[in-house]
Amino acid sequence: MRVIVAEDVMLTREGIVRVLTDAGVEVVGQAADAGEILGLAARERPDAVLLDIRMPPTHTDEGLVAATRIKAG
């Protein structure tokens, strides 16, 4: 399974990537903000995206909006 991890807190993101990688999941990208995740998802076409809902710049619903756009995409 090819996965992208999107989380703005670097330590949390790296921990998630480590757990997934150790479990045999192929992490094909990492993103720290919603804009970055949209480009990665379009380019990598992952099987799944693990996405934080509250991301920069406003920490409100950027991740949720990005998830909706990725799904529609």
Side-chain angles (χ1 to χ4, degrees):
M1 175 177 276
R2 296 168 35 86
V3 175
I4 293 174
V5 176
E7 166 61 55
D8 58 308
V9 178
M10 191 244 337
L11 187 57
T12 303
R13 185 176 63 248
E14 291 295 328
I16 293 167
V17 168
R18 172 81 184 263
V19 168
L20 291 172
T21 302
D22 287 353
V25 175
E26 180 185 2
V27 177
V28 295
Q30 299 180 43
D33 62 52
E36 194 176 359
I37 187 63
L38 293 173
L40 269 172
R43 188 171 52 255
E44 295 295 335
R45 307 294 293 167
D47 299 311
V49 176
L50 184 59
L51 180 62
D52 185 1
I53 292 174
R54 295 184 176 139
M55 298 186 80
T58 67
H59 294 279
T60 55
D61 65 349
E62 286 85 359
L64 187 57
V65 170
T68 303
R69 289 181 65 188
I70 291 167
K71 184 178 179 186

